[in-house]
């Protein structure tokens, strides 16, 4: 229960809400008290100013009228500043207080006889009559500090008593709201718990609200889809590797049995079996080497060594290499950009893989055309042949490992089915892209797009 996210969030939310409400109420009461004090100061100042103006005119009738209009809680003494003669006075209990030179100050009296202690606002100021006499005005009034404190004390006790109910009510309300909000997370968690490597086709529930939780479910569903694709590809890859290695191993085992039975006495059978074993061993070695290279390329262990490469020189070298192997091959390349910044050896390997793949499927007089165009940012290399091209159902799979264009993976065409896969991995390591399509006039066309920098 206490480890529940809903419980923890509810506790935090209710505590924050209660604290916020309490602070807002206290701030409001403090502002109200400050406003009351300010109003009290303003009223006191107005009364004082009226009396000062009456004294300054020397009109005692006007002065007495102003003094009579003062509230009952306002006390005053007016006396001659030189002789100390008291001219007007109300509540002699206060006596003469320390002078304040016209400033309003607070003052607390002590208990005197039957008079209880009191908090006062008072000021003293000197006024000059028209005849030149100087009088001192001392005016004071009781403040409502005790009332203000009582006014604040009541709400404070009420807030203290209401804190526990507010906490409890806000806790249950927030728990209800949060549990409803997190309900999609609970469903996602339960659904995710049932998904395993054998059931990656299952999907997490989506609410369709397009909120953060829905985006989370969509993201995980996309992840599961990619994982399923990767698992399916790896299963297919494992099956294909098993199939590709099983065939040469079966041939080698069969030839070894023939050698054990008749090879000792039949020299022709001995020679034939040894040649077959050697050929199949080379085939297995080629498959393993290609798989290791493909793995290193995909894991990023092979880092391209970028340098300026002369394309025309590379094309001439390719022509010499393949004409030595396939004399009836016609390899043409158009004049184009002479230089490109890339890894020379890796790019040469890509051309070898593509040309070798084309030769395997062209029965007589293969013709390979290479063209190159260059822009400020990219270099496009097109390699086309006069072969049968790709079947439409084959095109999406030409770069898949061990794919040879038929469901049985027939070995009659030769090779391991890894050439174009390696070519694609190499081009990706060069920050490029390779695509396959059929030419308008027939034949296969492979396009390599490389960045110039």
């Amino acid at each position: 229960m206490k480890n529940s996210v809903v419980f923890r969030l509810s506790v935090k939310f209710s505590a924050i809400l209660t604290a916020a409400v309490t602070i807002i109420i206290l701030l409001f009461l403090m502002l109200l008290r400050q406003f009351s004090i300010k109003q009290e100061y303003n009223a006191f100042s107005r009364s004082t100013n009226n009396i000062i103006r009456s004294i300054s005119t020397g009109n005692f009738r006007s002065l007495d009228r102003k003094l009579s209009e003062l509230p009952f809680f306002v006390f005053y003494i007016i006396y001659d500043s030189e002789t100390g003669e008291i001219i007007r006075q109300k509540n002699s209990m206060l006596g003469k207080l320390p002078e304040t030179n016209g400033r309003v100050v607070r003052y607390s009296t002590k208990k005197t006889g039957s008079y209880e202690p009191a908090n006062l606002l008072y000021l003293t100021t000197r006024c000059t009559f028209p005849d030149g006499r100087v009088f001192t005005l001392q005016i004071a009034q009781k403040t409502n500090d005790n009332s203000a404190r009582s006014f604040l004390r009541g709400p404070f006790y009420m807030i203290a008593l209401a804190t526990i109910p507010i906490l409890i009510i806000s806790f249950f309300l927030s728990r209800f709201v949060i549990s409803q909000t997190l309900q999609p997370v609970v469903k996602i968690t339960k659904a995710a718990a049932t998904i395993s490597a054998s059931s990656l086709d299952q999907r997490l529930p989506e609410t369709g609200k397009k909120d953060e939780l829905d985006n989370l479910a969509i993201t995980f569903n996309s992840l599961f889809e990619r994982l399923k694709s990767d698992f399916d590809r790896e299963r297919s890859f494992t099956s294909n590797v098993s199939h590709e290695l099983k065939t040469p191993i079966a041939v080698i085992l069969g030839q070894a049995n023939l050698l054990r039975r008749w090879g000792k006495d039949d020299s022709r059978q001995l020679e034939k079996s040894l040649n077959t074993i050697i050929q199949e061993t080379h085939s297995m070695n080629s498959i393993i080497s290609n798989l290791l290279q493909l793995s290193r390329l995909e894991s990023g262990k092979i880092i391209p060594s970028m340098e300026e490469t002369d394309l025309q020189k590379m094309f001439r070298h390719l022509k010499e290499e393949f004409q030595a192997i396939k004399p009836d091959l016609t390899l043409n390349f158009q004049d184009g950009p002479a230089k490109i910044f890339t890894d020379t050896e890796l790019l040469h390997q890509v051309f070898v893989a593509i040309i070798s793949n084309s030769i395997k499927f062209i029965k007589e007089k293969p013709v390979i055309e290479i063209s190159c165009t260059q822009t400020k940012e990219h270099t496009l290399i097109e390699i086309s042949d006069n072969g049968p091209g790709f079947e439409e159902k084959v095109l999406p799979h030409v770069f898949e490992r061990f794919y040879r264009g038929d469901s049985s993976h027939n070995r009659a065409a030769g090779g391991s089915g890894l050439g174009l896969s390696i070519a694609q991995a190499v081009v990706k390591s060069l920050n490029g892209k390779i695509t396959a399509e059929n030419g308008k006039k027939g034949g296969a066309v492979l396009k390599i797009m490389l960045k110039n920098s």
Side-chain angles (χ1 to χ4, degrees):
M1 178 66 176
K2 292 182 179 180
N3 292 328
S4 169
V5 174
V6 175
F7 178 81
R8 293 200 303 270
L9 289 177
S10 300
V11 170
K12 291 179 181 179
F13 178 78
S14 57
I16 292 172
L17 179 61
T18 304
V21 170
T22 304
I23 291 171
I24 290 172
I25 294 175
L26 290 176
L27 286 175
F28 174 76
L29 293 175
M30 290 175 64
L31 290 174
L32 189 61
R33 183 173 182 273
Q34 291 298 320
F35 176 77
S36 175
I37 292 173
K38 186 177 180 181
Q39 291 296 100
E40 187 179 39
Y41 267 77
N42 292 338
F44 183 75
S45 298
R46 283 194 300 269
S47 300
T48 304
N49 291 333
N50 289 334
I51 296 173
I52 291 173
R53 282 195 297 269
S54 297
I55 294 175
S56 299
T57 61
N59 188 340
F60 280 92
R61 183 177 295 178
S62 174
L63 175 62
D64 290 338
R65 188 174 65 252
K66 294 293 183 183
L67 292 175
S68 66
E69 292 175 353
L70 293 175
F72 70 93
F73 52 82
V74 176
F75 314 106
Y76 55 85
I77 299 178
I78 303 173
Y79 59 90
D80 190 306
S81 301
E82 294 182 0
T83 64
E85 179 186 358
I86 296 177
I87 307 300
R88 298 286 187 275
Q89 174 177 298
K90 180 181 178 182
N91 195 346
S92 60
M93 179 272 295
L94 294 177
K96 294 179 181 179
L97 300 175
E99 293 192 10
T100 65
N101 298 321
R103 292 184 299 106
V104 179
V105 298
R106 289 186 175 273
Y107 185 78
S108 297
T109 65
K110 297 180 180 179
K111 184 175 181 180
T112 306
S114 60
Y115 294 102
E116 295 294 330
N119 294 318
L120 304 175
L121 280 179
Y122 90 96
L123 66 78
T124 60
T125 184
R126 294 192 175 189
C127 307
T128 304
F129 263 31
D131 59 4
R133 287 187 298 170
V134 178
F135 289 89
T136 299
L137 168 65
Q138 173 183 302
I139 185 169
Q141 75 174 37
K142 289 184 178 180
T143 66
N144 57 358
D145 280 358
N146 292 332
S147 299
R149 291 193 184 96
S150 300
F151 175 74
L152 290 175
R153 193 178 297 119
F156 180 79
Y157 289 146
M158 291 177 63
I159 293 172
L161 291 173
T163 299
I164 295 176
I166 292 174
L167 275 171
I168 295 173
I169 294 172
S170 60
F171 171 78
F172 284 105
L173 286 177
S174 60
R175 182 179 179 184
F176 174 76
V177 173
I178 293 171
S179 62
Q180 292 298 313
T181 304
L182 294 181
Q183 192 63 33
V185 177
V186 176
K187 293 180 180 178
I188 289 173
T189 304
K190 290 181 179 179
T194 62
I195 297 177
S196 63
S198 60
S199 58
L200 288 174
D201 54 339
Q202 296 185 23
R203 294 294 177 264
L204 301 180
E206 299 175 12
T207 62
K209 296 180 179 179
K210 303 301 180 183
D211 55 10
E212 290 83 354
L213 296 178
D214 209 35
N215 290 335
L216 177 65
I218 292 172
T219 302
F220 273 109
N221 286 336
S222 177
L223 172 64
F224 291 141
E225 187 174 346
R226 293 195 302 271
L227 286 174
K228 184 177 185 303
S229 177
D230 291 340
F231 270 107
D232 290 342
R233 186 170 59 253
E234 292 305 317
R235 288 193 189 100
S236 176
F237 174 73
T238 304
S239 175
N240 291 334
V241 170
S242 174
H243 175 79
E244 294 294 329
L245 293 180
K246 184 187 296 183
T247 302
I249 289 174
V251 173
I252 292 173
L253 183 60
Q255 295 297 326
N257 287 329
L258 288 175
L259 286 174
R260 186 171 61 180
R261 293 179 182 178
W262 299 293
K264 297 178 182 179
D265 303 321
D266 190 341
S267 58
R268 291 180 60 188
Q269 182 63 47
L270 176 63
E271 184 70 19
K272 180 180 178 181
S273 296
L274 288 175
N275 287 335
T276 302
I277 290 173
I278 292 172
Q279 181 180 351
E280 294 300 324
T281 303
H282 284 311
S283 176
M284 290 177 62
N285 183 63
S286 175
I287 292 172
I288 294 171
S289 298
N290 287 335
L291 286 173
L292 288 175
Q293 184 182 21
L294 190 59
S295 175
R296 293 177 64 194
L297 284 167
E298 291 179 345
S299 62
K301 293 182 179 179
I302 296 179
I303 301 175
S305 178
M306 309 302 280
E307 60 183 358
E308 190 176 70
T309 301
D310 188 333
L311 286 176
Q312 299 298 323
K313 182 178 179 181
M314 180 184 292
F315 293 155
R316 289 193 295 271
H317 183 58
L318 284 169
K319 187 173 184 177
E320 293 174 0
E321 282 183 314
F322 278 98
Q323 283 186 338
I325 302 171
K326 187 78 171 175
D328 61 339
L329 169 66
T330 300
L331 183 59
N332 299 323
F333 46 88
Q334 300 176 2
D335 293 335
K339 305 290 183 179
I340 184 174
F341 195 73
T342 187
D343 187 304
T344 305
E345 293 185 4
L346 289 178
L347 185 59
H348 177 269
Q349 184 178 358
V350 172
F351 287 131
V352 170
I354 294 174
I355 296 172
S356 299
N357 191 73
S358 294
I359 293 173
K360 284 190 300 183
F361 295 96
I362 302 175
K363 296 181 179 179
E364 297 180 357
K365 296 181 179 181
V367 178
I368 309 293
E369 300 280 349
I370 302 177
S371 63
C372 183
T373 56
Q374 197 171 52
T375 64
K376 186 178 294 185
E377 297 180 351
H378 298 93
T379 297
L380 175 63
I381 302 172
E382 295 189 24
I383 306 171
S384 58
D385 61 36
N386 63 335
F390 301 106
E391 295 181 13
E392 290 300 323
K393 64 178 182 179
V394 173
L395 268 175
H397 308 284
V398 293
F399 295 108
E400 291 183 11
R401 290 171 285 192
F402 296 115
Y403 195 87
R404 291 197 182 91
D406 58 74
S407 58
S408 62
H409 292 268
N410 193 347
R411 293 166 53 88
S416 60
L418 291 170
L420 293 184
S421 299
I422 293 175
Q424 183 187 49
V426 171
V427 172
K428 283 184 178 180
S429 71
L430 297 175
N431 294 322
K433 182 179 180 182
I434 183 171
T435 58
E437 59 186 54
N438 288 317
K440 295 180 180 179
K441 298 181 179 180
V445 178
L446 282 95
K447 296 181 179 180
I448 302 171
M449 180 73 75
L450 298 173
K451 294 183 179 179
N452 292 336
S453 59

